[in-house]
mmCIF file of all heavy atoms in Angstrom:
data_model
loop_
_atom_site.group_PDB
_atom_site.id
_atom_site.type_symbol
_atom_site.label_atom_id
_atom_site.label_comp_id
_atom_site.label_asym_id
_atom_site.label_seq_id
_atom_site.Cartn_x
_atom_site.Cartn_y
_atom_site.Cartn_z
ATOM 1 N N LEU A 577 11.928 -2.926 -1.395
ATOM 2 C CA LEU A 577 11.613 -3.471 -0.077
ATOM 3 C C LEU A 577 12.684 -3.094 0.955
ATOM 4 O O LEU A 577 12.893 -3.770 1.949
ATOM 5 C CB LEU A 577 11.438 -4.993 -0.107
ATOM 6 C CG LEU A 577 10.326 -5.529 -1.034
ATOM 7 C CD1 LEU A 577 10.248 -7.028 -0.950
ATOM 8 C CD2 LEU A 577 8.996 -4.882 -0.633
ATOM 9 N N ARG A 578 13.336 -1.951 0.717
ATOM 10 C CA ARG A 578 14.307 -1.394 1.663
ATOM 11 C C ARG A 578 13.712 -0.159 2.299
ATOM 12 O O ARG A 578 13.328 0.775 1.609
ATOM 13 C CB ARG A 578 15.631 -1.070 0.959
ATOM 14 C CG ARG A 578 16.293 -2.282 0.328
ATOM 15 C CD ARG A 578 16.694 -3.310 1.424
ATOM 16 N NE ARG A 578 17.593 -2.726 2.399
ATOM 17 C CZ ARG A 578 18.916 -2.665 2.249
ATOM 18 N NH1 ARG A 578 19.508 -3.131 1.167
ATOM 19 N NH2 ARG A 578 19.682 -2.163 3.211
ATOM 20 N N TYR A 579 13.600 -0.126 3.621
ATOM 21 C CA TYR A 579 12.932 0.972 4.302
ATOM 22 C C TYR A 579 13.792 1.528 5.462
ATOM 23 O O TYR A 579 14.631 0.836 6.015
ATOM 24 C CB TYR A 579 11.619 0.481 4.918
ATOM 25 C CG TYR A 579 10.726 -0.279 3.988
ATOM 26 C CD1 TYR A 579 10.426 -1.616 4.237
ATOM 27 C CD2 TYR A 579 10.202 0.304 2.855
ATOM 28 C CE1 TYR A 579 9.615 -2.357 3.377
ATOM 29 C CE2 TYR A 579 9.405 -0.390 1.934
ATOM 30 C CZ TYR A 579 9.088 -1.680 2.234
ATOM 31 O OH TYR A 579 8.294 -2.422 1.350
ATOM 32 N N ILE A 580 13.515 2.776 5.846
ATOM 33 C CA ILE A 580 14.117 3.382 7.007
ATOM 34 C C ILE A 580 13.029 4.170 7.713
ATOM 35 O O ILE A 580 12.449 5.109 7.152
ATOM 36 C CB ILE A 580 15.283 4.346 6.608
ATOM 37 C CG1 ILE A 580 16.384 3.582 5.866
ATOM 38 C CG2 ILE A 580 15.879 4.984 7.852
ATOM 39 C CD1 ILE A 580 17.473 4.478 5.325
ATOM 40 N N ALA A 581 12.792 3.850 9.002
ATOM 41 C CA ALA A 581 11.815 4.632 9.784
ATOM 42 C C ALA A 581 12.355 5.986 10.092
ATOM 43 O O ALA A 581 13.581 6.181 10.265
ATOM 44 C CB ALA A 581 11.509 3.861 11.090
ATOM 45 N N TYR A 582 11.470 6.999 10.166
ATOM 46 C CA TYR A 582 11.948 8.342 10.473
ATOM 47 C C TYR A 582 11.011 9.058 11.441
ATOM 48 O O TYR A 582 9.849 8.740 11.587
ATOM 49 C CB TYR A 582 12.115 9.154 9.192
ATOM 50 C CG TYR A 582 10.817 9.647 8.559
ATOM 51 C CD1 TYR A 582 10.051 10.663 9.127
ATOM 52 C CD2 TYR A 582 10.380 9.133 7.361
ATOM 53 C CE1 TYR A 582 8.874 11.096 8.523
ATOM 54 C CE2 TYR A 582 9.194 9.550 6.748
ATOM 55 C CZ TYR A 582 8.473 10.585 7.325
ATOM 56 O OH TYR A 582 7.296 11.003 6.772
ATOM 57 N N LEU A 583 11.580 10.091 12.048
ATOM 58 C CA LEU A 583 10.854 11.058 12.913
ATOM 59 C C LEU A 583 11.218 12.445 12.396
ATOM 60 O O LEU A 583 12.357 12.828 12.312
ATOM 61 C CB LEU A 583 11.274 10.920 14.372
ATOM 62 C CG LEU A 583 10.802 11.998 15.300
ATOM 63 C CD1 LEU A 583 9.256 12.070 15.377
ATOM 64 C CD2 LEU A 583 11.369 11.784 16.728
ATOM 65 N N TRP A 584 10.166 13.191 12.009
ATOM 66 C CA TRP A 584 10.376 14.533 11.383
ATOM 67 C C TRP A 584 9.698 15.552 12.331
ATOM 68 O O TRP A 584 8.492 15.549 12.490
ATOM 69 C CB TRP A 584 9.712 14.507 10.020
ATOM 70 C CG TRP A 584 9.544 15.792 9.276
ATOM 71 C CD1 TRP A 584 10.222 16.969 9.487
ATOM 72 C CD2 TRP A 584 8.611 16.034 8.256
ATOM 73 N NE1 TRP A 584 9.786 17.909 8.595
ATOM 74 C CE2 TRP A 584 8.797 17.391 7.841
ATOM 75 C CE3 TRP A 584 7.655 15.224 7.616
ATOM 76 C CZ2 TRP A 584 8.043 17.947 6.819
ATOM 77 C CZ3 TRP A 584 6.903 15.797 6.616
ATOM 78 C CH2 TRP A 584 7.101 17.161 6.225
ATOM 79 N N ARG A 585 10.516 16.415 12.948
ATOM 80 C CA ARG A 585 10.018 17.431 13.868
ATOM 81 C C ARG A 585 10.598 18.786 13.500
ATOM 82 O O ARG A 585 11.806 19.026 13.662
ATOM 83 C CB ARG A 585 10.438 17.089 15.326
ATOM 84 C CG ARG A 585 9.979 15.754 15.800
ATOM 85 C CD ARG A 585 10.310 15.484 17.285
ATOM 86 N NE ARG A 585 11.746 15.368 17.468
ATOM 87 C CZ ARG A 585 12.291 14.952 18.624
ATOM 88 N NH1 ARG A 585 11.532 14.656 19.672
ATOM 89 N NH2 ARG A 585 13.575 14.839 18.746
ATOM 90 N N GLY A 586 9.744 19.641 12.974
ATOM 91 C CA GLY A 586 10.226 20.952 12.524
ATOM 92 C C GLY A 586 11.267 20.761 11.451
ATOM 93 O O GLY A 586 11.031 20.128 10.429
ATOM 94 N N THR A 587 12.469 21.279 11.659
ATOM 95 C CA THR A 587 13.576 21.099 10.686
ATOM 96 C C THR A 587 14.388 19.889 10.979
ATOM 97 O O THR A 587 15.312 19.561 10.221
ATOM 98 C CB THR A 587 14.475 22.372 10.701
ATOM 99 O OG1 THR A 587 15.012 22.551 12.019
ATOM 100 C CG2 THR A 587 13.689 23.624 10.344
ATOM 101 N N GLU A 588 14.093 19.180 12.072
ATOM 102 C CA GLU A 588 14.820 17.971 12.465
ATOM 103 C C GLU A 588 14.240 16.731 11.789
ATOM 104 O O GLU A 588 13.050 16.520 11.853
ATOM 105 C CB GLU A 588 14.792 17.837 13.968
ATOM 106 C CG GLU A 588 15.531 16.663 14.528
ATOM 107 C CD GLU A 588 15.390 16.522 16.015
ATOM 108 O OE1 GLU A 588 14.214 16.598 16.501
ATOM 109 O OE2 GLU A 588 16.369 16.321 16.686
ATOM 110 N N PHE A 589 15.106 15.980 11.147
ATOM 111 C CA PHE A 589 14.678 14.769 10.457
ATOM 112 C C PHE A 589 15.618 13.645 10.855
ATOM 113 O O PHE A 589 16.805 13.599 10.424
ATOM 114 C CB PHE A 589 14.688 14.991 8.953
ATOM 115 C CG PHE A 589 14.016 13.866 8.141
ATOM 116 C CD1 PHE A 589 12.600 13.839 8.043
ATOM 117 C CD2 PHE A 589 14.753 12.922 7.540
ATOM 118 C CE1 PHE A 589 11.980 12.840 7.334
ATOM 119 C CE2 PHE A 589 14.132 11.903 6.776
ATOM 120 C CZ PHE A 589 12.733 11.866 6.651
ATOM 121 N N LEU A 590 15.144 12.729 11.651
ATOM 122 C CA LEU A 590 15.970 11.704 12.271
ATOM 123 C C LEU A 590 15.526 10.301 11.813
ATOM 124 O O LEU A 590 14.338 9.999 11.762
ATOM 125 C CB LEU A 590 15.902 11.747 13.776
ATOM 126 C CG LEU A 590 16.300 13.085 14.412
ATOM 127 C CD1 LEU A 590 16.074 13.018 15.927
ATOM 128 C CD2 LEU A 590 17.760 13.408 14.116
ATOM 129 N N THR A 591 16.488 9.455 11.512
ATOM 130 C CA THR A 591 16.178 8.066 11.252
ATOM 131 C C THR A 591 16.104 7.316 12.606
ATOM 132 O O THR A 591 16.799 7.638 13.531
ATOM 133 C CB THR A 591 17.223 7.391 10.381
ATOM 134 O OG1 THR A 591 18.530 7.444 11.029
ATOM 135 C CG2 THR A 591 17.315 8.050 9.027
ATOM 136 N N LEU A 592 15.166 6.345 12.676
ATOM 137 C CA LEU A 592 14.939 5.569 13.873
ATOM 138 C C LEU A 592 15.435 4.150 13.568
ATOM 139 O O LEU A 592 14.813 3.414 12.791
ATOM 140 C CB LEU A 592 13.515 5.577 14.244
ATOM 141 C CG LEU A 592 12.864 6.912 14.582
ATOM 142 C CD1 LEU A 592 11.357 6.784 14.838
ATOM 143 C CD2 LEU A 592 13.557 7.547 15.779
ATOM 144 N N ASN A 593 16.508 3.755 14.198
ATOM 145 C CA ASN A 593 17.041 2.425 14.016
ATOM 146 C C ASN A 593 16.185 1.378 14.739
ATOM 147 O O ASN A 593 15.669 1.679 15.854
ATOM 148 C CB ASN A 593 18.476 2.300 14.494
ATOM 149 C CG ASN A 593 19.408 3.149 13.633
ATOM 150 O OD1 ASN A 593 19.224 3.278 12.441
ATOM 151 N ND2 ASN A 593 20.391 3.752 14.286
#
Side-chain angles (χ1 to χ4, degrees):
L577 299 181
R578 298 296 301 275
Y579 311 117
I580 300 174
Y582 75 72
L583 169 62
W584 170 23
R585 302 184 293 190
T587 59
E588 181 183 46
F589 191 78
L590 303 175
T591 61
L592 298 176
N593 293 325

